[in-house]
Amino acid sequence: MSGTLTNLVIYLALVVLGAFIGSRPGVRSRPMPWLGRFQTAALLLLIFTLGAELGANEEIVSSLGSIGLNAFAITITSMIGSMLAVHALRKYILKMDAFGRTAQEAQAEEAQASHEKAHVDHSLTVLIVAAVVLGMLGGYFVLPDSVTAHCGTVINFGLYLLLLLVGVDMGRQGTMLQDVKAAGFRVLLVPLAVMVGTFAMTALAGIFLPLGPKDCVAASAGFGWYSLAPTLLAPYSLTVSATAFLSNIMHELFSIVAVPVAAKKLGYIEAVALPGATAMDTVLPVVVSATCDRMAIYSFASGVILSLSVPVLIPAIIALPF
C-alpha cells in the first residue's frame, strides 16, 4: 500500500511540475508544434515496451490457454459494465455532453468545439494496436532476456516523461485550475460508477462461467492492477488469482486499444472509465491523446480512487459468506 501512495505522489508531482512549466509565459507564448508529435512517439514506445515485457513473460503466455477464456470474459464484461454505468451517469445524472461538458461549459467552449471533435481519429488506434502487437511478438520471439529484463525500467521512466508532458500541455492551455474547479464532485462519481458497472456485469457473467458470480467479481476488483490483485487473491484461490492476473493484464492492454474508439463513438467520460486503475498512470497519456487535456483530471482522479479501493474491496468480496 505504501508503494501505491508513493507512486501516486510521484505521478501527481510530475503532472503539477509539468503544468507549472507549461504555464510560464515564456513557454506558453512559444509555438511548440513538435510537442504533440513527441508525445505520440513516446507513448507508442511506452506501449511497445509494455507489450515486449508481457510477451517475454512465460507465465502470461503459458496461462493463455488454461484460463484465457474466463479471463477474457471477465475483462470484456467488466469494461462494458463500467462504460454503461458511466454513460448513464454522464447522460442522465450529470447531464453532460459527449465531450464531458455541462450545457454551460459547452456554451463557454463553443469556439473550441470543432478542435476537440477533430482531436480523435482512428489513426491513433491503429498505431496503438500495431505497437502492442509488435511489442508482444518482439518480446516473445526476438528480444533476448537481457533486453526484456530492463523493460520495467524503461516503462517507468517513459511513464514519468509522458506524465510530465501531459502536465506541460495542461499548463500551456492555461485553464488547469478552472478545469479542476469545474469538475468538482463529478470526478468522484465516475470511479463509483465504474465499480457499480464492473461488479454488476461480472456477477451476471459469473452465472454462466465456471468460477461463479462471487469469484468473477473478485477477479474483476483489481480494475486493471495486475500486480496487486492476484497477490490478494492467492490465499483465497490460486485459480481465481491466476484468472485475475491474466484478466487485469488484458484490461490494461484492451483499454489502451479501446480508449480512442470509446472517446469517438461514446464520449470522453466513458473513455476515462475504461482503463480502471491504470487511468492514473499507464493509460493516462492515451486518454488525454484521445480526448482533451481537461479529461486528465477525471482520468487521474478515477485511477487514484480505484487503485486505493483495490486492497479494500478484494478482501471484502472474498470474505462474503457465499
Side-chain angles (χ1 to χ4, degrees), residues 89-118 179 182-183 186 190 266-270 291-295 298:
L89 171 71
R90 172 185 69 78
K91 193 169 183 179
Y92 301 110
I93 298 177
L94 298 180
K95 299 188 183 302
M96 301 165 73
D97 66 9
F99 300 107
R101 306 170 301 184
T102 62
Q104 294 84 350
E105 290 168 346
Q107 290 176 357
E109 297 179 12
E110 193 67 34
Q112 298 178 7
S114 60
H115 168 73
E116 291 198 355
K117 287 179 182 178
D179 290 341
R186 290 177 287 184
V190 171
L266 291 175
Y268 286 4
I269 303 293
E270 289 87 339
T291 58
C292 64
D293 294 329
R294 180 166 39 84
M295 287 297 106
Y298 286 89

Side-chain angles (χ1 to χ4, degrees), residues 53-68:
E53 184 181 47
L54 298 178
N57 190 314
E58 292 292 338
E59 183 180 0
I60 295 174
V61 176
S62 62
S63 63
L64 286 174
S66 59
I67 60 174

Side-chain angles (χ1 to χ4, degrees), residues 185-241:
F185 76 97
R186 290 177 287 184
V187 298
L188 305 178
L189 297 180
V190 171
L192 293 178
V194 170
M195 294 180 199
V196 171
T198 295
F199 293 159
M201 285 296 288
T202 52
L204 180 63
I207 298 174
F208 307 98
L209 293 175
L211 287 180
K214 176 184 173 180
D215 289 353
C216 285
V217 170
S220 72
F223 302 113
W225 192 353
Y226 58 82
S227 59
L228 178 62
T231 305
L232 295 173
L233 287 165
Y236 168 69
S237 168
L238 290 178
T239 300
V240 178
S241 175

Side-chain angles (χ1 to χ4, degrees), residues 44-294:
L44 293 175
L45 178 60
L46 175 68
I47 293 171
F48 175 87
T49 308
L50 176 62
E53 184 181 47
L54 298 178
N57 190 314
E58 292 292 338
E59 183 180 0
I60 295 174
V61 176
S62 62
S63 63
L64 286 174
S66 59
I67 60 174
L69 183 59
N70 282 334
F72 179 80
I74 291 171
T75 304
I76 295 299
T77 53
S78 65
M79 293 175 69
I80 291 174
S82 64
M83 277 198 303
L84 290 176
V86 171
H87 179 73
L89 171 71
R90 172 185 69 78
K91 193 169 183 179
Y92 301 110
I93 298 177
L94 298 180
K95 299 188 183 302
M96 301 165 73
D97 66 9
F99 300 107
R101 306 170 301 184
T102 62
Q104 294 84 350
E105 290 168 346
Q107 290 176 357
E109 297 179 12
E110 193 67 34
Q112 298 178 7
S114 60
H115 168 73
E116 291 198 355
K117 287 179 182 178
H119 197 64
V120 182
D121 60 54
H122 289 299
S123 63
L124 179 63
T125 308
V126 173
L127 290 173
I128 285 173
V129 172
V132 170
V133 172
L134 290 175
M136 294 191 74
L137 291 174
Y140 186 74
F141 291 108
V142 180
L143 298 177
D145 292 342
S146 58
V147 174
T148 57
H150 298 289
C151 283
T153 302
V154 174
I155 289 170
N156 284 335
F157 283 101
L159 180 58
Y160 294 160
L161 174 62
L162 279 169
L163 292 176
L164 181 68
L165 293 176
V166 167
V168 170
D169 246 356
M170 294 171 66
R172 281 172 55 82
Q173 296 297 321
T175 59
M176 183 175 177
L177 291 178
Q178 295 94 312
D179 290 341
V180 172
K181 292 179 181 178
F185 76 97
R186 290 177 287 184
V187 298
L188 305 178
L189 297 180
V190 171
L192 293 178
V194 170
M195 294 180 199
V196 171
T198 295
F199 293 159
M201 285 296 288
T202 52
L204 180 63
I207 298 174
F208 307 98
L209 293 175
L211 287 180
K214 176 184 173 180
D215 289 353
C216 285
V217 170
S220 72
F223 302 113
W225 192 353
Y226 58 82
S227 59
L228 178 62
T231 305
L232 295 173
L233 287 165
Y236 168 69
S237 168
L238 290 178
T239 300
V240 178
S241 175
T243 303
F245 177 70
L246 187 55
S247 174
N248 283 290
I249 289 285
M250 289 180 178
H251 194 140
E252 181 172 6
L253 288 177
F254 292 177
S255 296
I256 289 171
V257 174
V259 159
V261 179
K264 186 175 181 67
K265 300 296 184 181
L266 291 175
Y268 286 4
I269 303 293
E270 289 87 339
V272 167
L274 273 176
T278 58
M280 74 172 184
D281 45 55
T282 316
V283 194
L284 174 60
V286 182
V287 172
V288 175
S289 296
T291 58
C292 64
D293 294 329
R294 180 166 39 84

